[in-house]
Amino acid sequence: MNASDLLKVALLYHRSFLAIFGLSFAGLLLFVLTVPKQLVAVKTVVQVPTSFTNGKPEPLESADQIAGRAAMLYGPAAIDRLQSSGAASPAVVTALLGSGYDGAGISVVLSSTIDSSAEQIARNFQQTVAKAIIADVMPAADAARQRAEQVHLLATEKTENLTKQLAVNEKRIQSIGGLIDDLWNQSENLRSELSKTYQSATPALDSELKIREVREQRVAVGNLSMSAVNERSNLTAQNAALQREKDAATAEELKTRLEAQLFRRPGISDTTITPATSSYRRLSLIAMAFVISVLVAFAAVGLAHTAGRFNPSRPHH
């Protein structure tokens, strides 16, 4: 009897068909609603390594990419070990195969919905996967941490070197200031001496030589004073530029120190266990009960029709 014949029989004996379907569906529905298994949601969060960039944490590698590797490699490998050890039943293995591996910002979330009796198995499974993720990302995390610390060290050294150079220049500026004062005093003394020489000057040769000598000394002192003033001016300008560079280096040093301090190594959070909502599962079971009841009703009326249990002369309308 093909499907077309079964449909005709069902239409012919629709009351019997509906009665059989109703009884079958009611029985299966009662079983689904009264004998459900207690499901739990098992969740483990793996923190991926992150650096502090532009004022916010950024993962070194996309959490979605890490979650993809976990789904393709680490999860199946952990399930293979469970199967080979015989620690999990086929039903538990099937449930774990449906585990979720989701990237969420700077975390990878492992989730499994399973019967409460297999809660510890799911916990151990997720911890195994989480440890595999940590082992995968740890080398890159360590390298990035070392780079961050090295950058901070270089920034600190640059700030210290600029501070030392500023101190040296400032000391030299102060020294030049004292030299300029001394040269000024010498120049004034020579001017006074020259004035006295003019006032007491005689046509004698020694007086002319004295005046010439004092003049030359004043010129030399003036040249030294001018050189000192120029050097002080240059050092002052250089210090202004060094101070601006130091301010920028100090800001960079603070930034790199903050980045090094806020760098986060990968880690595993505690696994959480919560009761799972079973509405989706119940809906699936109810749909299965409906399909099974329809098939049972078709089979029953078909078999009864073939066996002659129904009287064709009294069709059921």
Side-chain angles (χ1 to χ4, degrees):
M1 184 177 292
N2 55 33
S4 176
D5 294 334
L6 280 176
L7 183 59
K8 292 178 180 179
V9 171
L11 291 174
L12 185 61
Y13 305 109
H14 60 276
R15 292 182 180 177
S16 299
F17 175 85
L18 292 175
I20 296 170
F21 165 78
L23 290 174
S24 177
F25 183 66
L28 290 174
L29 185 62
L30 181 65
F31 176 80
V32 168
L33 296 179
T34 58
V35 195
K37 289 187 176 181
Q38 178 59 46
L39 299 179
V40 292
V42 183
K43 183 173 73 174
T44 301
V45 179
V46 182
Q47 303 292 340
V48 303
T50 57
S51 61
F52 196 77
T53 306
N54 297 325
K56 62 179 181 179
E58 293 287 347
L60 298 183
E61 181 184 3
S62 167
D64 288 332
Q65 292 181 349
I66 298 174
R69 287 203 301 277
M72 293 175 59
L73 301 175
Y74 314 134
I79 289 176
D80 286 343
R81 285 195 292 272
L82 275 177
Q83 287 180 309
S84 60
S85 66
S89 66
V92 171
V93 169
T94 300
L96 292 178
L97 284 172
S99 296
Y101 307 82
D102 302 306
I106 58 174
S107 304
V108 174
V109 180
L110 309 177
S111 57
S112 306
T113 301
I114 200 164
D115 185 79
S116 58
S117 62
E119 171 186 314
Q120 190 58 46
I121 295 175
R123 183 194 297 267
N124 294 340
F125 163 74
Q126 291 187 2
Q127 288 293 316
T128 299
V129 175
K131 289 176 182 177
I133 292 175
I134 297 295
D136 176 20
V137 300
M138 187 62 78
D142 289 340
R145 175 86 181 209
Q146 291 175 3
R147 287 195 299 271
E149 291 176 349
Q150 184 64 27
V151 169
H152 172 60
L153 179 61
L154 292 175
T156 301
E157 290 178 351
K158 182 177 181 180
T159 302
E160 291 175 350
N161 291 337
L162 289 170
T163 301
K164 291 177 181 178
Q165 186 61 48
L166 280 167
V168 169
N169 287 358
E170 190 61 36
K171 187 175 181 180
R172 177 60 181 162
I173 289 172
Q174 292 176 0
S175 175
I176 292 173
L179 176 61
I180 290 173
D181 290 341
D182 291 341
L183 291 172
W184 173 260
N185 292 332
Q186 291 181 35
S187 178
E188 287 298 305
N189 292 335
L190 289 171
R191 186 183 66 79
S192 177
E193 183 179 350
L194 184 60
S195 177
K196 291 178 182 179
T197 303
Y198 273 126
Q199 292 174 3
S200 62
T202 61
L205 179 61
D206 58 342
S207 296
E208 292 181 2
L209 292 176
K210 180 65 175 176
I211 291 172
R212 183 182 300 173
E213 181 183 357
V214 173
R215 283 177 175 175
E216 289 176 352
Q217 288 178 353
R218 285 200 69 194
V219 170
V221 169
N223 290 336
L224 287 174
S225 180
M226 183 61 67
S227 296
V229 169
N230 288 336
E231 184 180 359
R232 184 174 66 177
S233 177
N234 291 336
L235 285 173
T236 301
Q238 183 182 358
N239 263 18
L242 286 174
Q243 186 61 52
R244 290 191 295 271
E245 188 176 355
K246 180 193 172 184
D247 291 342
T250 301
E252 181 66 17
E253 190 270 338
L254 291 173
K255 175 175 174 289
T256 56
R257 181 173 63 185
L258 182 63
E259 290 176 351
Q261 290 176 344
L262 294 179
F263 184 90
R264 294 180 60 184
R265 290 165 59 87
I268 306 173
S269 70
D270 293 334
T271 301
T272 59
I273 310 293
T274 56
T277 56
S278 57
S279 58
Y280 175 78
R281 181 172 179 267
R282 283 187 173 179
L283 287 175
S284 299
L285 292 176
I286 291 173
M288 291 177 59
F290 180 86
V291 173
I292 292 172
S293 299
V294 171
L295 294 177
V296 168
F298 270 119
V301 296
L303 289 174
H305 177 74
T306 302
R309 295 292 181 87
F310 296 127
N311 187 350
S313 63
R314 296 175 58 191
H316 293 61
H317 297 288

